[in-house]
Amino acid sequence: MAAIHYKQRIKSLQSLIALLLLCIVLTILTDKFFTADNGLNVLRQTAVNICIATGMTLVVLTAGIDLSVGSVLALCGAIAAGLLKNGIALQATDTYIGFTILGVILVAIIVGAVLGWFNGFVITKFNVPPFVATLAMLTIARGFTMLYTKGQPISNLGAKFAFIGAGSFLGIPVPVWIALAVVLIAAFITRQTRLGRYIYAIGGNETAARFSGINISAVKMIVYALAGAMAAIGGIIVTSRLDSAQPNAGSSYELDAIAAVVIGGTSLSGGRGTIWGTVMGAIIIGVLNNGLVLLNVSPFWQQVVKGAVILLAVIIDKLDKKD
Amino acid sequence: MPMKKILKYGLLVVIVALLGYNSVYIKKLSDVNASKGAQFNAAGFAAQLWNEKLPAKSDSAVAISVLKGAIDDDAGAAFDKYTNALAIGNYRYALVKGIAVIDAITADDLKITIQSAAPFKATVAMEFIYGNALRDASGLVNLQEFPNTSDLNSISEELNKIVRQKIIPAARPMLKPGAKIEFTGAVELNKEHIHFDDVEIIPISIKPVS
């Protein structure tokens, strides 16, 4: 009994152990790795993936997947940038509706949530597989981004907006604070609310959850809306950091998010995993990227290594299930 | 309606109203347009640069085959001699010229083969004109003269707009696969990862030659 308990304890800490081992190896291999500046740099770069991956975790816990987060990120970032820079001009009434930074953040999050909700709506009401529905949204949102930006970057968003992505508060980069807030909210939802229990129940056994009286459609729509909103937050950070909304921003970000979720120990078949595991997964990917750059490893090899790590995480997950 | 619900919805309305009040502001459009006049005129700056300063620079652009050869021989010296950059980092920019044969015309670019002792492939961007290649390759913009990066970025935006709106539409009808062209443009090169084959050229001029 004690041995089983010990094994479960190790399993729950496997992401953290992997991260620590990775840090030790990189510290030995390069003296540039274990510095405060580099640590903050890794966290700043990881913050966007943490935001997206946190939303993705909620989706994956319901046994779903959201491939549209990268495109939703781009669209929301573009809308935020466009409204902040150009507002809405009503020529007929000689009226200009301007947006404050708070305003564009709210609009972006609402747009992200609506797009996510639409994903959930299509998946639940028309019984479309999440892979297909969100793949369609990936293309739709990217198309709208191109239409909205006319294929051009929207730049020069001002120093105040740039503070969101490039500023620091109490010595910690602002994106890290934002990611922390997102993680705390998601952790609260999964651990302390009825919605969180429903999410795990649906992922564990959807049929049983339905017979228990859980409104599957409503829960899934909320979950996808949350994932969209979190992608939008990622979009605001990216846009702010670059001082520019790029129409091709966020391409393949969904893959990094899924990787963080898987490496963090969340089961792709749903019902099992934690937000903190995903945070660890995202940091492992961030540290891996950073370490490989510091070691002057070719970007092409970096992709191979990242892919191998994801594969390893999935295999470990499968072996865990067999146990 | 029970008191608790009234309080709950009341609070919600107050929060939404507060957020809304702090999120948008309304002004007269004419006032906004008037105030924009005082800002940095990136379009004017870019037009002046394009019309008055860039032609001379383009005339002295390095032949792309010479640049490639120089980089093959001694990359460090070639980058120092032929390229510019405003920012630190591995990316360097060069104004290049050359004669090439059009291999194919796609919606996004021209696939060309540069004519030289050792011909090589390159691409001329025709649709997505991004980045700072034109601004930085020209070497005509001094970082110290600008109080913020926004103004600097807007110069690139305007230069790219000139290429998109004037240079490419004027050149496109004259281009045919198999035709020989004379071009001047800007290229971006990464000092650490030099991939000269299929390098992308942002065009400044493209002319068919017989």
Side-chain angles (χ1 to χ4, degrees):
Chain A
M1 189 69 184
I4 292 169
H5 182 70
Y6 179 73
K7 206 175 169 188
Q8 278 174 343
R9 194 67 186 243
I10 291 287
K11 266 184 194 172
S12 68
L13 292 173
Q14 65 191 19
S15 303
L16 185 62
I17 293 166
L19 178 61
L20 287 175
L21 283 175
L22 189 61
C23 289
I24 291 167
V25 170
L26 288 171
T27 305
I28 293 166
L29 290 176
T30 168
D31 56 357
K32 291 174 195 156
F33 177 75
F34 198 69
T35 64
D37 276 353
N38 191 49
L40 289 177
N41 187 31
V42 170
L43 285 177
R44 190 193 289 274
Q45 288 174 344
T46 311
V48 172
N49 194 22
I50 290 178
C51 291
I52 305 172
T54 300
M56 185 71 79
T57 307
L58 300 177
V59 171
V60 173
L61 281 173
T62 64
I65 197 91
D66 188 349
L67 300 180
S68 67
V69 285
S71 299
V72 169
L73 173 149
L75 180 57
C76 294
I79 287 173
L83 290 179
L84 187 63
K85 194 174 177 193
N86 305 321
I88 297 171
L90 304 171
Q91 303 281 355
T93 54
D94 191 28
T95 306
Y96 172 83
I97 302 170
F99 287 80
T100 63
I101 290 172
L102 174 67
V104 297
I105 290 171
L106 289 175
V107 171
I109 291 173
I110 290 167
V111 170
V114 169
L115 293 174
W117 172 86
F118 187 76
N119 276 335
F121 177 79
V122 172
I123 289 163
T124 55
K125 298 297 174 192
F126 300 101
N127 212 17
V128 177
F131 182 86
V132 179
T134 58
L135 187 63
M137 179 56 79
L138 176 150
T139 312
I140 292 168
R142 184 66 64 188
F144 275 126
T145 309
M146 291 294 176
L147 285 169
Y148 185 75
T149 61
K150 299 184 180 75
Q152 307 304 321
I154 303 171
S155 308
N156 309 340
L157 305 172
K160 282 184 185 169
F161 188 70
F163 182 76
I164 299 170
S168 291
F169 177 67
L170 299 174
I172 308 285
V174 174
V176 178
W177 288 111
I178 296 171
L180 182 66
V182 168
V183 166
L184 288 175
I185 291 168
F188 177 78
I189 290 171
T190 52
R191 296 172 75 144
Q192 304 289 336
T193 66
R194 197 184 301 170
L195 175 66
R197 289 192 290 279
Y198 289 171
I199 289 170
Y200 279 97
I202 292 170
N205 188 333
E206 190 169 325
T207 312
R210 181 174 286 115
F211 283 126
S212 307
I214 295 173
N215 186 340
I216 308 281
S217 300
V219 172
K220 282 192 176 177
M221 281 191 266
I222 291 170
V223 164
Y224 280 92
L226 284 170
M230 288 172 189
I233 293 170
I236 291 161
I237 296 174
V238 170
T239 306
S240 165
R241 264 195 84 188
L242 300 174
D243 188 26
S244 168
Q246 300 288 336
N248 58 352
S251 294
S252 79
Y253 277 27
E254 57 279 349
L255 300 182
D256 274 353
I258 294 167
V261 172
V262 172
I263 293 170
T266 298
S267 170
L268 282 174
S269 42
R272 204 157 48 92
T274 61
I275 298 296
W276 294 108
T278 296
V279 173
M280 287 297 135
I283 296 176
I284 286 172
I285 292 173
V287 167
L288 202 60
N289 282 336
N290 177 262
L292 293 172
V293 169
L294 291 179
L295 293 171
N296 270 331
V297 175
S298 146
F300 309 132
W301 273 110
Q302 288 178 29
Q303 292 183 36
V304 175
V305 172
K306 223 160 75 178
V309 170
I310 296 164
L311 198 61
L312 188 70
V314 177
I315 291 169
I316 290 172
D317 178 50
K318 290 285 175 197
L319 292 176
D320 273 359
K321 270 189 176 171
K322 273 187 185 170
D323 285 353
Chain B
M1 194 185 266
M3 198 62 188
K4 209 174 164 186
K5 264 196 174 175
I6 294 173
L7 270 175
K8 197 169 132 187
Y9 287 117
L11 194 66
L12 199 68
V13 168
V14 170
I15 289 170
V16 169
L18 270 174
L19 285 175
Y21 181 74
N22 287 300
S23 294
V24 291
Y25 55 92
I26 292 170
K27 284 182 177 177
K28 274 191 155 186
L29 184 59
S30 45
D31 291 349
V32 173
N33 288 337
S35 72
K36 276 184 181 167
Q39 291 172 351
F40 172 64
N41 180 5
F45 185 95
Q48 192 186 14
L49 193 129
W50 187 276
N51 296 321
E52 295 172 17
K53 296 178 182 171
L54 198 59
K57 276 278 177 184
S58 299
D59 289 344
S60 59
V62 60
I64 191 165
S65 52
V66 171
L67 178 64
K68 184 176 185 293
I71 288 175
D72 288 343
D73 290 343
D74 181 352
F79 278 116
D80 286 345
K81 188 173 178 186
Y82 296 116
T83 66
N84 295 303
L86 285 188
I88 54 168
N90 290 330
Y91 285 103
R92 304 285 301 180
Y93 302 88
L95 278 186
V96 294
K97 61 185 175 187
I99 292 177
V101 172
I102 300 173
D103 298 329
I105 302 173
T106 71
D108 297 340
D109 48 39
L110 290 184
K111 307 288 183 198
I112 59 173
T113 300
I114 308 283
Q115 303 289 283
S116 70
F120 58 96
K121 304 276 181 192
T123 300
V124 180
M126 298 292 278
E127 183 67 28
F128 299 106
I129 312 291
Y130 290 123
N132 298 318
L134 278 173
R135 182 197 69 189
D136 291 7
S138 73
L140 294 169
V141 177
N142 184 356
L143 189 69
Q144 309 300 329
E145 290 170 8
F146 294 87
N148 58 62
T149 52
S150 295
D151 289 352
L152 268 173
N153 291 339
S154 59
I155 294 170
S156 281
E157 240 179 271
E158 293 301 330
L159 287 173
N160 292 340
K161 206 183 278 179
I162 292 172
V163 175
R164 267 195 308 274
Q165 294 179 349
K166 294 184 179 165
I167 305 305
I168 291 171
R172 206 183 270 277
M174 299 186 282
L175 305 174
K176 287 180 191 130
K180 196 182 262 190
I181 55 163
E182 189 179 13
F183 68 87
T184 310
V187 292
E188 178 187 88
L189 297 165
N190 185 332
K191 279 198 293 185
E192 291 297 315
H193 302 281
I194 304 164
H195 296 291
F196 225 103
D197 283 340
D198 215 20
V199 65
E200 184 181 72
I201 300 160
I202 305 291
I204 294 171
S205 76
I206 314 173
K207 286 181 282 187
V209 286
S210 48

